[in-house]
Amino acid sequence: MYGNDYADPDDPGAGPLNAADGGAVEAAAAHVDRRAELDLTTFDAVIAADQRIEPRDAMPEDYRQTLIRQIAQHAHSEIIGMQPEGNWITRAPSLRRKAILIAKVQDEAGHGLYLYSAAETLGIDRSELLDRLHAGKQKYSSIFNYPTLTWADCGAIGWLVDGAAIMNQVPLCRCSYGPYARAMIRTCKEESFHQRQGFELLWELMRGTPEQQAMAQDATNRWWWPALAMFGPRDTGEHAQEGGHTGQSMAWGIKRFSNDDLRQKFVDMTVPQAQRLGVTLPDPDLRWNEERGHYDFGEIDWDEFWRVLRGDGPCNAQRMERRVNSHEQGRWVRDAAAAYAAKQRARHTSDGSEGSAA
Ligand code: FAQ
């Protein structure tokens, strides 16, 4: 195996920070491309040993397709997820809040880029993935089909949506596919800042006027259930038996926890935070269960979840229209970048030089 595993710069025993100092470059150069191999003994052994699969390793076609599906959906979610909060950049109530929001929305674009790059290591082009998104053949997270009606929604998204995203993504840092796992490390660090700024935004509102408090409570009421649905369908029941991916994805070390387990962890983490904030979570069935050592909570509206996935949520049409339009408007930039790269390549091959900016 080869690669640049994350090393904690504060941990003296973590090995060299610069991969080149650790022999990784030589290891990568010596690594044989085994993608076309049909013998999956090594793949099985690597998975059994809880090690990483890297792009040039042999892997089952279903493993590759599962990763393309999940990483693409994740990447699409990041870039479509820029829209609900991007909607508030011009209306942020102070320069400080505007600077934070711009930085956050920009981070989401960056996460999309890491993820499209990770997907490309599986042998698919990002333009193909975007075409699939625009044609409705690939999904993005249900959560981004809900509207941001007030400024408090930016707080609720940071606190609840980014909070749920972190709960889901920290285990993905240990995903069996190296490029995806490594992309998640920086993403999770940035999501952690996003979650805190959302909590702090709501904290300020809850210590403000009665109108501000009501706004924070209203945003919490509207985002709580969609945030719980982000973790995906239940582990048991009709859907899990018919089309659920969890069992296979856990066997391959892509997913480390089931959807319900992550959802429970999220509820257990978030209830005390809501108490500190002073907001009430909109679930009459929410209570501590001494026996289980977890919070019990009510049933998600699964009909609504599947409706949103089918394209019939409050903002599906608006989100896709904006995405497709901005893709079209950016065509000239992509064309210019491609023409520039072609010119560089032509110069490089004609005179044997390294090429330079024209
Ligand atoms: N929305 O069998 P499972 C973020 C689909 S990033 C839409 O459980 P799987 C950052 C699923 O694709 C948020 N579709 O599937 C941010 C499958 O359909 P398919 C995104 C959903 O893949 C914050 C079917 O249901 N995060 O928020 C959803 O094993 C703020 C059956 O489901 C990721 O993508 C859903 N909520 O598990 C950005 C994390 N749930 O493909 C901006 C990575 C399920 O058969 C602002 N992804 N489906 O047609 C994952 O961990 C997994 O893919 C799950 C689903 C857990 C989402």
Side-chain angles (χ1 to χ4, degrees), residues 39-49 53 57-60 63 176 252:
D39 178 5
L40 295 171
T41 322
T42 310
F43 174 85
D44 292 338
V46 169
I47 296 294
I53 299 296
D57 292 337
M59 62 183 88
Y63 176 82
S176 60
W252 277 329

Side-chain angles (χ1 to χ4, degrees), residues 18-40:
N18 184 345
D21 296 340
V25 173
E26 289 77 3
H31 187 87
V32 182
D33 189 336
R34 299 191 189 281
R35 278 177 294 186
E37 277 184 14
L38 295 177
D39 178 5
L40 295 171

Side-chain angles (χ1 to χ4, degrees), residues 326-341:
S326 60
H327 189 67
E328 285 309 317
Q329 284 160 15
R331 182 175 297 281
W332 69 272
V333 179
R334 292 191 298 279
D335 288 348
Y340 177 76

Side-chain angles (χ1 to χ4, degrees), residues 69-70 73-74 77-78 81 85 104 108 139-142 144 157 161-162 165 168-169 172 180 191 229-233 239 244-246 255 259 305 309:
R69 180 185 61 77
Q70 177 167 329
Q73 172 177 313
H74 195 166
S77 304
E78 298 284 358
E85 290 162 286
K104 179 185 190 294
E108 310 298 2
K139 297 183 168 77
Y140 59 91
S141 181
S142 50
F144 301 117
I157 290 180
V161 177
D162 286 277
N168 168 270
Q169 287 169 190
L172 290 174
Y180 191 22
E191 300 290 22
M230 275 175 80
F231 292 95
H239 173 76
H245 304 291
T246 300
K255 283 168 99 163
N259 299 354
F305 174 75
L309 257 59

